[in-house]
Amino acid sequence: MKLGDIYRLAVSCGMEKDPRGKDGVEKELKKQKDKFEALSDREKELFDEELLKNPYGDTRLLYGDEETEIHGLIVGVDMETQELLLADRLREKGKKIDMVLAHHPEGVGMPGLGNIMHMQAQIFAEEGIPINVAEGVMAPRVAEVRHGLMAGNFQRSVDAARLLDIPFMSVHTPADNLVQDYVGRFLEEKAPQTVGDVVDALLEIPEYKEAAKKMDPPTILVGKKSNSCGRILIEFTGGTGTSADIYKEMASQGIGTVVGMHMREACRKEAEKYHINVVIAGHMASDSIGINLFLDQLKKNGVESIAASGLIRIER
């Protein structure tokens, strides 16, 4: 596959499994188009035009010629300068590595994380929370994340890729959409009745089972095994951790259990306050599922991968 085709496939996979649905994604693209067209010529020069065709600001082709043929790659959850050096060393030893693929955002994808968080409000609206409430609750959290990112050295790893001349890409929200869809459908089919049933079901998924063997199992953070799980909300996509204030709204809509990759202490306290069970499925294992589903698509197209940096590679 060509490098540009891999990037476009990532975006396409993310859009196909986006929890907002096709209409929600198209509305987002239209919003960006309307925003762009309303700008002055000077403002247009600074606009991220990639957002006109890719709704995921945290997913980018960071370095490399789109026409480069890719036969093999190295991929992991966090691929930064040290992993780029590892890739370069492995290439010296004869490994077929034509590019480095990261899950977590790098380069221009990192500040794009804040924009992605707006999709959480739309996801909550699908769960019955009024959209105005969801947007109001999320706004301070989005601002907090954006402000926290302002001091970051986002181009460090991209500069390393450029100096080593290794094509470099990050695929974040599309992979998160894939795992959100996969685990959501899996649990729906299993129809767990208790929180313990949720954990047992997750352990049937190979990535979670492998993580459990390495002392990183799915864990009940709030509640206990015998609690009824009630209605389950999967929190795997939408950039990063949500607002602590959303749990009150979740409780009002009858959500009984949240299954997430990880959770801030402020969110844990609010979930506990409103008697919402929380199961932390595991960060690396959950990210691995999303990456694996994408890598399986690449393998069908003849691209082989080497797993690194926390990735639990399972083929389906």
Side-chain angles (χ1 to χ4, degrees):
M1 292 183 73
K2 292 183 178 180
L3 182 62
D5 291 334
I6 293 176
Y7 171 61
R8 285 183 285 274
L9 177 62
V11 174
S12 176
C13 286
M15 292 171 68
E16 182 181 348
K17 299 299 184 181
D18 196 298
R20 297 170 292 182
K22 182 179 179 181
D23 288 345
V25 175
E26 288 180 350
K27 285 179 182 178
E28 176 61 27
L29 291 172
K30 184 179 185 304
K31 183 176 76 173
Q32 293 298 336
K33 181 180 179 181
D34 292 344
K35 181 179 178 180
F36 177 73
E37 290 177 349
L39 298 176
S40 66
D41 290 343
R42 182 178 180 182
E43 290 170 326
K44 285 179 179 178
E45 289 181 14
L46 302 177
F47 187 84
D48 180 9
E49 293 190 43
E50 200 63 29
L51 291 174
L52 300 176
K53 53 189 175 182
N54 170 8
Y56 310 116
D58 58 359
T59 297
R60 286 290 185 270
L61 174 51
L62 301 163
Y63 174 76
D65 185 336
E66 288 195 15
E67 295 300 311
T68 301
E69 289 288 343
I70 305 296
H71 301 284
L73 56 82
I74 186 169
V75 53
V77 178
D78 296 286
M79 301 296 281
E80 300 177 332
T81 298
Q82 58 267 45
E83 284 80 22
L84 285 155
L85 289 169
L86 171 63
D88 189 57
R89 181 72 183 95
L90 289 172
R91 295 210 296 186
E92 288 179 347
K93 297 178 74 172
K95 293 289 184 179
K96 185 60 179 177
I97 297 174
D98 300 313
M99 69 170 287
V100 172
L101 177 63
H103 173 53
H104 286 154
E106 295 292 334
V108 296
M110 199 61 177
L113 200 61
N115 290 333
I116 288 295
M117 293 183 70
H118 288 297
M119 73 185 287
Q120 292 188 33
Q122 294 168 289
I123 293 171
F124 294 139
E126 292 292 324
E127 297 294 330
I129 298 172
I131 186 63
N132 58 303
V133 174
E135 288 178 343
V137 167
M138 285 303 302
R141 174 61 178 153
V142 173
E144 178 187 12
V145 170
R146 281 178 173 163
H147 297 163
L149 290 170
M150 286 180 176
N153 184 359
F154 309 129
Q155 296 302 318
R156 180 171 57 179
S157 58
V158 181
D159 285 341
R162 174 179 53 80
L163 291 168
L164 292 168
D165 196 24
I166 301 176
F168 190 30
M169 183 188 305
S170 64
V171 176
H172 190 227
T173 291
D176 285 350
N177 288 352
L178 290 173
V179 64
Q180 172 110 350
D181 173 75
Y182 182 87
V183 174
R185 288 188 291 106
F186 182 84
L187 289 179
E188 185 176 357
E189 181 179 325
K190 291 294 179 180
Q193 298 301 302
T194 67
V195 178
D197 291 342
V198 174
V199 173
D200 290 342
L202 290 174
L203 285 169
E204 293 181 31
I205 297 175
E207 287 89 344
Y208 293 129
K209 187 175 182 179
E210 287 301 311
K213 292 177 182 178
K214 298 173 183 175
M215 306 304 292
D216 187 20
T219 301
I220 299 172
L221 193 64
V222 178
K224 54 186 180 182
K225 285 185 178 182
S226 59
N227 285 6
S228 297
C229 59
R231 188 166 144 217
I232 297 172
L233 174 67
I234 309 295
E235 271 194 338
F236 284 173
T237 195
T240 189
T242 192
S243 166
D245 295 331
I246 200 65
Y247 295 93
K248 177 181 178 181
E249 308 303 330
M250 287 185 190
S252 73
Q253 295 302 317
I255 294 170
T257 299
V258 168
V259 178
M261 293 190 190
H262 48 77
M263 181 174 282
R264 295 179 300 130
E265 179 64 8
C267 291
R268 185 199 66 79
K269 288 180 177 179
E270 287 299 295
E272 187 174 55
K273 178 179 177 181
Y274 291 102
H275 310 290
I276 296 175
N277 304 301
V278 176
V279 175
I280 297 303
H283 192 178
M284 296 303 107
S286 297
D287 278 345
S288 291
I289 295 170
I291 299 168
N292 285 332
L293 292 168
F294 179 56
L295 292 178
D296 289 346
Q297 294 297 314
L298 295 185
K299 186 168 184 178
K300 290 178 182 177
N301 286 278
V303 179
E304 297 294 332
S305 59
I306 297 172
S309 185
L311 173 62
I312 304 168
R313 180 68 176 118
I314 302 290
E315 295 183 21
R316 287 175 171 79

